[in-house]
Amino acid sequence: MKVLAIDTCLDACSVAVSDDGAILAAATQIMARGHQERLAPMVQRAMAEAAVGFDALDLVAVTIGPGSFTGLRVGLAFAKGLALALDIGCVGVGTLQGLAASEGEAGFVAAAVDARRGQVYLQVFIDGQAVMAPDALEPNVAAARLAELWAGGPAVLVGSGAPLLQSVIPTARVSAITAPDPTAVARIALRQRAPYPPPRPLYLRAPDAKLPSR
């Protein structure tokens, strides 16, 4: 199965093309904004490098959040539009799941994103299985949740929010990864089976921008 994986939710624009799990091409550009302008050219270059025609794709995978509202919508709109045009499936992958899987799926892995405004997006995995739903928490609450789930032993903290929680597990390895590896997103997508439910954005809080009051 040939999969095109896309991530635009955090501070990178990333794409990968895989064939039955083998990565044919992958690219990541670090950026806080500008995903809309970069995504299509990156996809075109990755497909050309992989020597895969768009009509040969079987599935499009895209991260669905939590993350930047603008970046999230850019990735979702592109992925859904492409899948519709090609008449193929489109699946959503949680940003925190993608982050955790970028560090491998063995042992205790906590994916944490600094959500600003005094919050941390947190989700914890043990051997690749989620042991809590993704949540937006105050740092002290996130720390308590992490301490509750960790039973000792090796641990990995990954994401921009990892340093905020390092004191909870001083022995944990803090990963430098701050955005999902698109190859991990592609691997996760392969586990899903048709019929694929349409991907929906995962919003854990209201947007910063608000309509002016009348």
Side-chain angles (χ1 to χ4, degrees), residues 1-6 15-20 22 24-25 43-44 46-48 50-61 78-79 81-90 186 190 196:
M1 176 176 279
K2 293 180 175 64
V3 179
L4 170 65
I6 296 167
V15 301
V17 183
S18 71
D19 186 2
D20 289 335
L24 304 180
V43 168
Q44 288 180 322
M47 293 292 288
V52 173
F54 282 94
D55 59 352
L57 287 174
D58 299 296
L59 188 65
V60 180
F78 183 93
L82 181 61
L84 180 64
L86 298 174
D87 194 25
I88 59 177
C90 184
L190 275 177
Y196 304 108

Side-chain angles (χ1 to χ4, degrees), residues 2-52:
K2 293 180 175 64
V3 179
L4 170 65
I6 296 167
D7 168 59
T8 58
C9 280
L10 297 175
D11 56 1
C13 185
S14 302
V15 301
V17 183
S18 71
D19 186 2
D20 289 335
I23 302 303
L24 304 180
T28 295
Q29 290 185 357
I30 302 301
M31 63 181 70
R33 54 183 59 86
H35 300 83
Q36 184 169 355
E37 292 76 19
R38 299 288 184 88
L39 180 57
M42 285 183 67
V43 168
Q44 288 180 322
R45 287 195 296 271
M47 293 292 288
E49 181 183 341
V52 173

Side-chain angles (χ1 to χ4, degrees), residues 39-170:
L39 180 57
M42 285 183 67
V43 168
Q44 288 180 322
R45 287 195 296 271
M47 293 292 288
E49 181 183 341
V52 173
F54 282 94
D55 59 352
L57 287 174
D58 299 296
L59 188 65
V60 180
V62 61
T63 48
I64 57 172
S68 157
F69 284 86
T70 301
L72 187 162
R73 289 193 294 268
V74 166
L76 262 177
F78 183 93
K80 293 170 74 171
L82 181 61
L84 180 64
L86 298 174
D87 194 25
I88 59 177
C90 184
V91 298
V93 174
T95 307
L96 297 171
Q97 183 182 12
L99 265 175
S102 300
E103 273 296 334
E105 297 184 311
F108 185 98
V109 182
V113 172
D114 184 354
R116 314 296 182 186
R117 294 199 294 172
Q119 287 188 316
V120 175
Y121 296 138
L122 177 68
Q123 191 171 22
V124 176
F125 299 81
I126 297 178
D127 293 332
Q129 300 299 312
V131 293
M132 64 171 284
D135 207 350
L137 305 167
E138 294 180 2
N140 62 324
V141 177
R145 183 75 59 85
L146 190 60
E148 175 187 351
L149 294 172
W150 182 58
V156 178
L157 305 179
V158 59
S160 61
L164 301 176
L165 301 176
Q166 186 176 9
S167 62
V168 180
I169 311 177

